[in-house]
Amino acid sequence: MTLIWIIAIFFAGGLLCWAAQFVNRVLIKWIALIAAVANLALVGAAYAEYRNGSAPGDWLIDYTVNWIPSFAIKFHIALDGLSLVLLLLTAFLGVLAVLCSWKEIKERVGFYYFNLLWTLAGITGVFVAMDLFLFYFFWEVMIVPMYFLIAIWGDSNRRYASYKFFIFTQAGGLLMLVSILALFFINHANTGNYTFDFFELQNITLSVAEGRWIMLGFLVAFVIKLPAVPFHSWLPDAHSEAPTAGSLILAGLLLKTGAYGIMRFVITLFPQNSAEIAQWAMLVGVIGIIYGAMLAFAQNDLKRFIAYTSVSHMGFILLGVYSFREMAFDGVVMQMLTHGISTGALFAMAGMIKERLHTREMGNMGGLWTGMPLMGGLALLFAMASLGLPMMGNFIAEFLILVGAYEVNPTLTIIASIGLVFAALYSLRMMQRVFFGPRTTPDRHPEPFLRQGELREGSAHSASAVYDLSAREFTILISLSVAIVILGLFPQPVLDSVNTVVQSLIQKNTP
Amino acid sequence: MSNEQLLALLPFMVLAGASIVVILMIAARLSHTAIQVAGFLMLCFTVLAMGYVRDILPQEILPLFIIDGFAALYTGVIIFSVGVVGLLSYIYFEEREENPKEYYILLFLATLGAAVLTISRHFVSLFLGLEILSVSLYALIAYLRNRNNAIESGLKYLILAALTSAFLLLGMALFYMETGSMEFNAIGQKLAGSDPGVLFKLGLALMVVAIGFKLALVPFHLWAADVYQGAPAPVTAFIATASKVGVFAVLMRFSLAVNLQQSEFLLNVFSGIAIASMILGNILALRQQNIKRLLAYSSIAHLGYLIVAFLPGTREGIEASVFYLFAYAITILSAFGIVTILSTRMKDAEDLSVYRGLFWRKPLLAAVLAVSLFSLAGIPLTAGFFAKFIVLLTGANYNLWLPVIVLVLTSVIGLYYYLRIISTLFASAPAAEPRHKPLHPFFHFVTYATLFVLMVMICVLGVFPGPAIEGIRQFLMIR
């Protein structure tokens, strides 16, 4: 029931926010915050209850009710360790996303929070849906409001970015739908009963050729979302144009749905075919790591920079998943969590800087540390996390993945670890350009020709450019930093939670 | 003819009576409002009559008609569409035309034609129905005769429809020559077991031209955009829904009777048509700036999707097609409803710029349009998604992988132009124009309420399609 409550609270909260638009505009934010916090509490309680994972093959929560009996479609949601930790991440980032938007969004507030909460509802649904139709349903439910978030509250190039985001993900999604239908009918031909239920479809036997095509359908959807390199081009646009909370959710949660999909569905349903393509998938992952890092290094736009680092970090996920080693799987789960937190934090910071300086160009920043020592320090922390410094969660994640993958393919792993060096390069360059160096903020160079009382456009902003974090912003960032450090020092609880899931994945995928 | 047979025809007689009632009311110089209300009541009576005769179905009225669950479903969709079109028409014509009253005669006649198509099992009734429909449409399309586009599109439709009627007649003649019968079932029996001769194939080719024209399938789609643009918005809605439903119903019945889908060759022809319609319709819509033309091209694509459900020629196929048509009718009616409501005295609201920032000016209207566009694009939570899903399901079940994949890929293309309108709706608004008071507050309210109900229906059908599907199944059992 907890799961239903979580999804229902997000949906209902969204509707309430929209309705509150017509009553009292201050109310909206609070409704959104209360909904998000309530869900964090619910997920937290669930985590406290189930943190030790489950017995193998068992599910912590398993809830089914008929939805559309004419087509054997059920509303089937279930929770295991993997879903649990991802739900925790969703609820956590959900609260922060609401907080992030507190001051940023001034127009159409009700509709904004409606979309925000519905995206979160969709993501939650994706992580727990165990009926493939339902999964597809939630998969789409999270896309549409996200499209609105980008298209309405985005930056100057928002239209293009939102189309690209929607069309890329929808194309993948529809191919996945065809694959789901194929599974549905092949299962019927084999066993004589119609079902979209993942639990039953798990036992399906497919011929190699069938499996190959069907897997491709799934894989395309997830790889676009992840994103792996040839399909990544929607990501920088979407991330850089989205409002801060949008980027936070995109990077922190939406990308993880791709990784989750690969772990939950692709390698579980198609173990043989996955083994077939494992080498290629790892190669694609490594290409992503290196290519993303190189592009990140070349960016001048702060948000695009963070977006490309995501491409690079997500390469590790493909590398880890397709090595089929226990350590690597553990690493992948850690990577999902820690990347969500660290990149989320970086996007939140980019948003805060943009609120102050009204620019994303790193060329227009520099020397911000003097004005904002608090933010500078925290930014340094997350830059370090992103480059994989020990003590931060990211280090654990990438280390585990590399160790796991090394057994399988040393060459690729060595190349991948070069990616860590690149990560150091681009992260430090970012710190250097944004927070150190000479101050280039305009108020340092007052315009000599400005007559008294006349304000140059933008100088009103730049005059206030250097105020440090407010209490709200500080709360956001400090909670993220605490989370990333805890994950770095004590990753064991997470690994315990997902232990049984990882074990069963290993079992499926060892020939 | 027995009593029961006569009774089974009751809904159609009520429908025919509706146009006579309207004529008499015009003769009595009653007001537009009175005619509107009477027309609406007659439609309600038709629905009631359908409910009343439901228990005695199926009835065959040899040789022309068969009234079964199949016919009831399609007729139901037609009546529903006409009901909405009728409601939308009031404001539209009251504010534009001095003589809006004759419009209703034509509307009900066209409805009768479409409804007759759904129950015909004989070439004669098919042709009669089709002609009643077409002849009324000629006049309906050109009804606002002061507009340039109206006359042009009316003439275009007249010439092309007359031409294709000739094709149809020749096709029927060839069938008759080959089989010696004009009843669908008799033709089917004659053909069973034997390889159809060349005359049959030729006849069928001619019929495909005629039917393809009515459904605006590629390559017979050339009229669609012009007619959609030129016709008054409610009439366009009628063409997009009722007329297509009727023609599709008769196509389905005919093909089931003669086992059209058994023939490999014909299956290929129809999948070719479907694929061409999906691809071309979606591509032509991509750059359209005129929303009526855009919806015309999108309807070409949607009929292509529908043909995918037609291909298997089974009960699932019928089920899928009925659900699809129903969902499509609701969706397109709400879209054209918005066009109708936003139209000004001089010009229909067809230019995309009219819709800029609509969400911030008139949230309800924009929400209805956005939902219907999402439904057309097949996004979950809307009826359009589930309709597309069932079609995909049917296609996949019969291993029609090529049309299925094309359907999926072209829907992605389609997404672009739907998103284009949607993002226009949500773009920042120009300065709000002065609100003028609606001339007919009651009908304004009714129209708004109807559109709202349609939107709710789209969402409900999208989330809980189960009952609707069950209902369709039960009706299809009546045979």
Side-chain angles (χ1 to χ4, degrees), chain A residues 397-480:
Chain A
E398 280 165 18
F399 178 75
L400 285 175
I401 291 174
L402 289 174
V403 172
Y406 188 82
E407 293 175 41
V408 184
N409 195 332
T411 329
L412 282 179
T413 314
I414 290 169
I415 302 176
S417 40
I418 298 176
L420 289 178
V421 180
F422 285 170
L425 274 176
Y426 62 64
S427 302
L428 293 177
R429 179 166 173 272
M430 183 274 289
M431 281 308 291
Q432 172 66 29
R433 293 183 66 184
V434 176
F435 289 99
F436 301 121
R439 259 178 93 173
T440 51
T441 36
D443 63 310
R444 183 71 183 261
H445 315 281
E447 292 289 331
F449 305 111
L450 218 63
R451 259 180 271 137
Q452 203 172 12
E454 192 182 65
L455 278 178
R456 221 178 121 91
E457 198 192 21
S459 65
H461 305 310
S462 45
S464 58
V466 275
Y467 62 91
D468 209 345
L469 298 177
S470 70
R472 173 182 59 88
E473 291 166 333
F474 185 71
T475 319
I476 297 172
L477 292 181
I478 206 72
S479 53
L480 285 163

Side-chain angles (χ1 to χ4, degrees), chain A residues 11 18 22 67-71 73 108 111 118 133 136-137 140-141 144 147-148 151-153 158-159 162-163 166-168 170-172 174-175 177-178 181-182 184-185 188 194 196, chain B residues 319 356 359-360 374 377-381 385-386 389-390 392-393 396-397 401 404-405 408-409 411-412 415-416 419-420 422-424 426-429 462-466 469-470 473:
Chain A
F11 276 130
W18 197 356
F22 306 102
W67 180 17
I68 308 169
S70 326
F71 293 101
I73 294 168
R108 294 140 199 177
F111 193 52
W118 275 50
F133 183 88
Y136 177 77
F137 185 83
E140 299 281 313
V141 167
V144 179
Y147 159 79
F148 279 124
I152 302 179
W153 295 273
R158 55 178 176 259
R159 249 184 135 170
S162 61
Y163 287 171
F166 202 131
I167 290 175
F168 264 69
Q170 179 76 4
L174 280 169
L175 288 175
L177 182 63
V178 174
L181 291 180
F184 179 73
F185 286 114
H188 173 246
Y194 286 112
F196 282 103
Chain B
E319 236 172 76
R356 206 174 159 70
F359 191 78
W360 316 116
F374 273 128
I379 306 294
L381 290 175
F385 162 69
F386 206 81
F389 173 77
I390 306 185
L392 282 175
L393 199 70
N397 197 2
W401 290 111
V404 163
I405 298 284
V408 163
L409 293 180
S411 342
V412 176
L415 205 57
Y416 172 76
L419 284 184
R420 206 155 48 90
I422 293 171
S423 65
T424 312
F426 288 89
S428 34
V463 182
F464 301 107
I469 303 269
E470 280 307 312
R473 281 190 183 160

Side-chain angles (χ1 to χ4, degrees), chain A residues 185-483:
Chain A
F185 286 114
I186 290 173
N187 181 58
H188 173 246
N190 290 351
T191 63
N193 66 340
Y194 286 112
T195 181
F196 282 103
D197 199 312
F198 174 61
F199 291 3
E200 290 176 49
L201 290 175
Q202 255 178 328
N203 310 318
I204 196 170
T205 42
L206 296 166
S207 73
V208 177
E210 283 169 349
R212 200 175 289 151
W213 285 107
I214 299 175
M215 180 190 68
L216 270 184
F218 277 96
L219 200 58
V220 166
F222 298 142
V223 156
I224 288 177
K225 207 52 163 251
L226 190 58
V229 149
F231 306 106
H232 67 289
S233 78
W234 63 270
L235 178 123
D237 289 313
H239 277 59
S240 53
E241 298 302 322
T244 308
S247 313
L248 179 86
I249 292 180
L250 267 174
L253 299 171
L254 248 67
L255 306 191
K256 309 305 174 289
T257 60
Y260 169 82
I262 293 178
M263 280 187 95
R264 172 76 77 211
F265 297 111
V266 176
I267 62 175
T268 317
L269 288 171
F270 316 99
Q272 278 179 324
N273 305 100
S274 302
E276 247 178 32
I277 60 152
Q279 295 298 323
W280 296 106
M282 286 170 84
L283 180 65
V284 170
V286 171
I287 293 175
I289 296 174
I290 302 294
Y291 183 68
M294 286 165 74
L295 285 181
F297 188 75
Q299 297 306 315
N300 281 322
D301 180 319
L302 185 55
K303 281 180 120 180
R304 282 186 96 82
F305 159 80
I306 306 171
Y308 279 114
T309 67
S310 294
V311 175
S312 177
H313 288 304
M314 288 294 108
F316 280 100
I317 296 229
L318 273 185
L319 181 69
V321 168
Y322 280 96
S323 61
F324 305 119
R325 287 292 179 277
E326 188 182 345
M327 265 199 177
F329 279 139
D330 283 342
V332 167
V333 176
M334 285 300 288
Q335 178 80 339
M336 288 198 229
L337 299 181
T338 55
H339 175 264
I341 293 171
S342 68
T343 310
L346 287 175
F347 271 122
M349 251 180 267
M352 292 167 192
I353 292 178
K354 186 161 179 274
E355 264 177 58
R356 291 165 167 79
L357 299 182
H358 299 270
T359 180
R360 303 190 312 239
E361 277 294 308
M362 286 198 257
N364 298 341
M365 300 172 191
L368 293 184
W369 190 297
T370 30
M372 301 190 269
L374 258 179
M375 179 189 277
L378 289 168
L380 189 62
L381 178 90
F382 287 110
M384 291 301 127
S386 164
L387 66 80
L389 197 75
M391 203 178 102
M392 318 292 178
N394 305 51
F395 166 72
I396 309 275
E398 280 165 18
F399 178 75
L400 285 175
I401 291 174
L402 289 174
V403 172
Y406 188 82
E407 293 175 41
V408 184
N409 195 332
T411 329
L412 282 179
T413 314
I414 290 169
I415 302 176
S417 40
I418 298 176
L420 289 178
V421 180
F422 285 170
L425 274 176
Y426 62 64
S427 302
L428 293 177
R429 179 166 173 272
M430 183 274 289
M431 281 308 291
Q432 172 66 29
R433 293 183 66 184
V434 176
F435 289 99
F436 301 121
R439 259 178 93 173
T440 51
T441 36
D443 63 310
R444 183 71 183 261
H445 315 281
E447 292 289 331
F449 305 111
L450 218 63
R451 259 180 271 137
Q452 203 172 12
E454 192 182 65
L455 278 178
R456 221 178 121 91
E457 198 192 21
S459 65
H461 305 310
S462 45
S464 58
V466 275
Y467 62 91
D468 209 345
L469 298 177
S470 70
R472 173 182 59 88
E473 291 166 333
F474 185 71
T475 319
I476 297 172
L477 292 181
I478 206 72
S479 53
L480 285 163
S481 359
V482 169

Side-chain angles (χ1 to χ4, degrees), chain B residues 255-271:
Chain B
S255 67
L256 288 178
V258 303
N259 287 324
L260 206 65
Q261 283 92 345
Q262 301 295 322
S263 148
E264 187 77 15
F265 172 72
L266 290 173
L267 206 59
N268 287 339
V269 169
F270 274 98
S271 28

Side-chain angles (χ1 to χ4, degrees), chain B residues 193-209:
Chain B
S194 65
D195 193 37
V198 72
L199 283 181
F200 178 82
K201 281 183 180 161
L202 203 59
L204 199 72
L206 293 172
M207 281 190 71
V208 167
V209 173

